[in-house]
Amino acid sequence: MKKINYSILALLGLVMVFTGCNDSGKKSSNGALSSNNAEKVYVAPGEQDEFYAFMSGGYSGNLTVYGLPSGRMFKEIPVFSQFPTSGYGYSEETKPMLNTSFGFVPWDDSHHPDISQTNGELDGRWIFINGNNTPRIARISLKTFETEEIIELPNSAGNHSSSFITENTEYVVAGTRFSVPVPQRDMPINEYKGNFKGALSFVSVDPEDGRLDLKFQIMMPGFNYDLSHPGRGKSHGWFFFTTYNTEEANSLLEVNASQNDKDFIAAINWKKIEEYVNNGGGTKMPANYAHNVYDEGTHTATSTMKKEVLTVDPTKVPGAVYFLPTPKSPHGCDVDPSGNYIIGNGKLSADLTVHSFDRMLAAIEGKKFDGEAYGIPILKFEDVLAGTVKSGGLGPLHTEFDGKGNAYTTFFISSEVVKWKLGTWEVIDRKPTYYSVGHLMIPGGNSAKPFGKYVVAMNKITKDRYLPTGPELEHSAQLYDITGDKMELIYDFPTHGEPHYAAGIPAEILAPKSQKIYKLAENKHPMATLGVNDARVERKGNEVHVYMAMIRSHFTPDNIEGIKVGDKVYFHITNHEQDFDVPHGFAMIGANNSELLIMPGQTKSLVWEPKEVGVWPFYCTDFCSALHQEMQGYVRVSPANSNIDLSWSLGE
Ligand code: RUQ
Ligand code: CUA
């Protein structure tokens, strides 16, 4: 396929050369060239973007924030990975965020962000994202753009069909990609079939403060649960998951999991299961998983180990779970804005399978089953099929919607986005991507109300798009204008990590609510230094606690003596600024962690273990005023057996 891509590219290149020189402002056949299109993405200095785009960081473990249409990156939000830029995962306050049942896990692989919804529309309160490797879900505040909560998922492995939310953010849902023994135990791998389980986790979200709670897990047959999306509108109350490896192979899956002509989309009536568990149904099972919560008042996270999970055997809840046969190892599982169409993107096929929710209900009503799998009824393919999109592309992965009756599907192998019409299934347009596109994103594209102005294609291969940077290239995103009948490629920009999915939202929903400072008067951190007179240094055995304040352009105190080799020195530092965008940093020579970047009104703590006697400097890392270079101090470190008294000062 690469060859095809390059010949298309070469052709386009020729078009570029010829139209580029003599075309003065007229629309050229290659969208990216016309000055009209340049204007479409140009956000002049001082102006702001129309949309926020939150792109998953993939193997960076984080979430990056971009503006659309400019493609400018605004922030990287640390989620599952330690982040020295701010001290996340290094500061004493944030280390608990990365606690798991496996201990401290300072990295993950984040795939699918999803923004909270009310009545099926984006409400912009929180964004959720999955950790794929050590199964976790994070909740990030869209007021502070900080990670506020991480919950681990027991009985799960490869948390891929995650983290998608229901239309009133009742649940954030996560299906396991790998089935595993539940509970985990020592057993031969080749006894997988019939013995492993696939857990689908329903994590409730508190409507007031967003707090997460693992409400129940459905113990499904041992397939791979790849992707999922909620029903909406008429199908609200249902959730749909693609499966592959219904063969339950445990080795050489590229061959052995591609035997069945059809795998399934699992349709889960979660309202029914919720009712069942609310009436005392389900089995409590011992478990061990971390629940980490960051408290904005104390600026501190706590980690609690939970010991129990409620599991549900789907065969015990009649009418709650069905299988919809779907060709051919389906990947993406996307639901249109009306909630009627469920699209299975069969990655080994050229056609897209669209199921109808109405037809599914009718088939269930008529009890028209085609056997069962592990006690779960299988519906007949013909009975649930709404239509097939004869796409002409290869390797369909993901579909999004523009809210105007059109759907857009990415094709990994043929490297293109294909636009087609819901209901008639006809292909309307296709545009190449450069190269090998994975997900795509329309702001609100997986809600009842998409904002169908742009689609962003997230490509896996960058090759010749940008100046080379050695063997490793950032991935590329491509922006298409979708306001007309035909899509137009208007921009191309690099992204950070590996964006799998992304979520977009109009700036006007988020920007006005964005927090500017933390109020010092509301700082409840137990180690905060709220007045400069409270600044002090205290010794408890070999632990020394420095209570420090910072304001332009000094630390209080800035001279500390009486520290000894072998001490463990905790700096608890409070930023006394109350102006927007005036953080201070703190860096200590030889510290085995990172700096701290402390926001106005916030307290953060860093531990430092001095190894050598001497007089050691610390300084502010953020250029905060004309006297930033003066914002510095010294710690005197004496031998372990010295009897120099603890003392501290400023300006003496
Ligand atoms: S997916 S490999 Cu979202 Cu297409 Cu993860
Ligand atoms: Cu504070 Cu530089």
Side-chain angles (χ1 to χ4, degrees), residues 331-466:
H331 183 58
C333 183
D334 299 295
V335 179
D336 85 308
S338 77
N340 189 37
Y341 297 124
I342 303 124
I343 292 118
N345 303 268
K347 58 186 186 284
L348 300 180
S349 101
D351 301 337
L352 295 171
T353 302
V354 185
H355 295 305
S356 154
F357 179 71
D358 290 338
R359 300 200 73 204
M360 181 190 93
L361 286 188
I364 293 170
E365 186 88 359
K367 298 209 165 23
K368 290 162 87 183
F369 302 132
D370 198 6
E372 55 162 59
Y374 295 102
I376 294 168
I378 302 171
L379 296 163
K380 286 207 183 93
F381 178 65
E382 308 72 46
D383 290 344
V384 292
L385 187 71
T388 301
V389 182
K390 301 273 173 209
S391 72
L394 278 177
L397 291 186
H398 300 282
T399 300
E400 292 256 310
F401 310 90
D402 64 4
K404 298 169 202 154
N406 304 305
Y408 301 73
T409 301
T410 52
F411 289 79
F412 179 80
I413 298 174
S414 50
S415 284
E416 56 185 339
V417 178
V418 172
K419 175 181 178 182
W420 52 277
K421 202 160 191 56
L422 287 157
T424 69
W425 324 123
E426 68 195 301
V427 170
I428 300 168
D429 189 24
R430 61 195 326 130
K431 284 285 176 327
T433 60
Y434 307 90
Y435 313 91
S436 299
V437 60
H439 278 269
L440 76 175
M441 183 275 280
I442 292 172
N446 261 306
S447 73
K449 190 184 162 200
F451 301 87
K453 186 164 182 184
Y454 302 112
V455 65
V456 183
M458 283 157 273
N459 306 326
K460 301 298 183 189
I461 295 173
T462 310
K463 297 270 188 199
D464 51 10
R465 301 309 288 176
Y466 315 120

Side-chain angles (χ1 to χ4, degrees), residues 375-584:
I376 294 168
I378 302 171
L379 296 163
K380 286 207 183 93
F381 178 65
E382 308 72 46
D383 290 344
V384 292
L385 187 71
T388 301
V389 182
K390 301 273 173 209
S391 72
L394 278 177
L397 291 186
H398 300 282
T399 300
E400 292 256 310
F401 310 90
D402 64 4
K404 298 169 202 154
N406 304 305
Y408 301 73
T409 301
T410 52
F411 289 79
F412 179 80
I413 298 174
S414 50
S415 284
E416 56 185 339
V417 178
V418 172
K419 175 181 178 182
W420 52 277
K421 202 160 191 56
L422 287 157
T424 69
W425 324 123
E426 68 195 301
V427 170
I428 300 168
D429 189 24
R430 61 195 326 130
K431 284 285 176 327
T433 60
Y434 307 90
Y435 313 91
S436 299
V437 60
H439 278 269
L440 76 175
M441 183 275 280
I442 292 172
N446 261 306
S447 73
K449 190 184 162 200
F451 301 87
K453 186 164 182 184
Y454 302 112
V455 65
V456 183
M458 283 157 273
N459 306 326
K460 301 298 183 189
I461 295 173
T462 310
K463 297 270 188 199
D464 51 10
R465 301 309 288 176
Y466 315 120
L467 292 173
T469 51
E472 192 200 353
L473 306 174
E474 293 281 35
H475 289 212
S476 82
Q478 289 176 313
L479 186 71
Y480 296 78
D481 178 335
I482 55 167
T483 52
D485 284 346
K486 301 285 175 192
M487 297 175 271
E488 280 195 87
L489 175 62
I490 56 175
Y491 201 50
D492 192 320
F493 58 97
T495 55
H496 188 57
E498 181 183 357
H500 288 262
Y501 193 33
I505 183 167
E508 62 189 17
I509 300 178
L510 290 196
K513 299 188 306 187
S514 188
Q515 188 153 326
K516 299 211 158 48
I517 59 163
Y518 298 100
K519 290 201 183 110
L520 192 60
E522 291 171 7
N523 183 325
K524 302 253 167 12
H525 194 300
M527 306 295 192
T529 303
L530 296 179
V532 281
N533 295 332
D534 302 328
R536 66 197 185 277
V537 183
E538 288 172 357
R539 175 179 286 284
K540 286 181 191 147
N542 73 334
E543 263 186 24
V544 177
H545 292 267
V546 177
Y547 297 84
M548 188 182 266
M550 58 192 346
I551 197 161
R552 277 164 289 183
S553 297
H554 58 269
F555 297 93
T556 311
D558 67 356
N559 279 207
I560 299 167
E561 302 200 357
I563 306 293
K564 297 178 215 170
V565 171
D567 282 347
K568 212 169 176 183
V569 183
Y570 291 85
F571 294 94
H572 308 288
I573 311 171
T574 303
N575 182 347
H576 281 205
E577 304 287 350
Q578 290 287 270
D579 283 341
F580 184 32
D581 199 21
V582 191
H584 294 289

Side-chain angles (χ1 to χ4, degrees), residues 583-585 620-625 628 631:
H584 294 289
C620 169
T621 51
D622 187 305
F623 204 108
C624 48
S625 79
H628 156 78
M631 195 163 173

Side-chain angles (χ1 to χ4, degrees), residues 2-14 414-415 432 434:
K2 290 284 148 50
K3 267 199 187 121
I4 293 177
N5 286 337
Y6 286 125
S7 50
I8 291 172
L9 180 78
L11 240 145
L12 283 174
L14 279 175
S414 50
S415 284
Y434 307 90

